[in-house]
Amino acid sequence: MTATPTKEPTVLGHDIPKARLTLSGWAWGALYLGLPIVLLGNLMDFVFQWALGWCIGVWCIV
């Protein structure tokens, strides 16, 4: 028995595209994943600067 390739589903003769991530999905993903990482990184930089006197954050360049 051989596997046959599956066809794309149709509804009333119209092809249904596969699910995909939209632009707003990418934006929400960046917000929920990127923002906490940026905030935690900045907090860690601030703590190191305060505790050790080392400036290792991005704002040290400016």
Side-chain angles (χ1 to χ4, degrees), residues 10 20 26 37-38 45:
T10 59
R20 61 182 178 87
W26 282 107
I37 291 171
V38 168
D45 289 340

Side-chain angles (χ1 to χ4, degrees), residues 23-42:
L23 182 61
S24 63
W26 282 107
W28 280 110
L31 181 71
Y32 280 121
L33 297 175
L35 187 63
I37 291 171
V38 168
L39 290 177
L40 287 175
N42 284 335

Side-chain angles (χ1 to χ4, degrees), residues 2-26:
T2 61
T4 59
T6 58
K7 290 178 61 177
E8 293 291 324
T10 59
V11 175
L12 297 175
H14 295 283
D15 293 331
I16 300 174
K18 291 184 179 182
R20 61 182 178 87
L21 198 55
T22 61
L23 182 61
S24 63
W26 282 107

Side-chain angles (χ1 to χ4, degrees), residues 34-53:
L35 187 63
I37 291 171
V38 168
L39 290 177
L40 287 175
N42 284 335
L43 180 64
M44 286 176 31
D45 289 340
F46 175 74
V47 168
F48 275 107
Q49 184 177 354
W50 179 73
L52 302 174

